[in-house]
Amino acid sequence: MKKNEIAKIINPLPGRKAGASGAGSVRGVGSADPLFSTEHSKKVGCSARPSVSETVKELLKSIGEDIHREGLRQTPQRVAESFSKLFEGYGQDPQKLITVFKNEGYKELIIAREIDFYSICEHHLLPFYGKATVGYIPNKKIIGLSKLPRLVELYSRRLQNQERLTKQIADTLEKMIAPKGIGVLIEA
């Protein structure tokens, strides 16, 4: 996958045009995509494992493999278990993971750089990885600096593309703390 950079700026500082980075101004968290709904989150938990296992068995059969040979006997269950970790972001609510505090006068940019992330491309079901930089200019509320990487991990543990990952991080910060400005840069 080519190295790609996507920047998103929302709620720009006074005097700066919204969408200066090429992205429009947005508000709110989530997507109309049913993949990210609460109902879907419940479906991909532990109860989804048997269907993942069965699907993997069928996939292996369809490419001509003998699912009873020693090296493949446990593969369907292993894949199901790995999916529960790879896609654990569906079952997590950022508002339960992140504590919001009253701003006590911070005015400078709060930024976390080079946050490693790993995700699965929704188009090919192949892994992609990279680094994220997330920053915001506080308004009335703040979150701890260590929560920015947690937010990146939460959304990267879903089927993703770089654009949606960037948007979800920014939208969540907007909803939770309504900062004066937000910047999210994904390099993958």
Side-chain angles (χ1 to χ4, degrees), residues 31 39 46 50 81 94 98 110 134 137 143-144 153 171-173 181:
S31 167
E39 292 76 27
C46 294
E81 289 169 6
I98 298 171
I110 296 172
V134 181
I137 299 171
I143 63 172
E153 177 154 359
D171 286 353
T172 299
L173 284 170

Side-chain angles (χ1 to χ4, degrees), residues 3 6 8 18 23 28-30 38 40 45 55 67 72-73 75 82 84 105 109 117 161-162 170 176 188:
K3 192 167 198 175
I6 299 169
K8 174 159 177 102
V29 171
T38 305
H40 183 269
T55 302
I67 63 168
L72 291 178
R73 275 188 233 144
T75 297
S82 72
S84 71
L109 176 66
F117 74 88
N161 61 49
Q162 294 174 58
M176 292 183 74

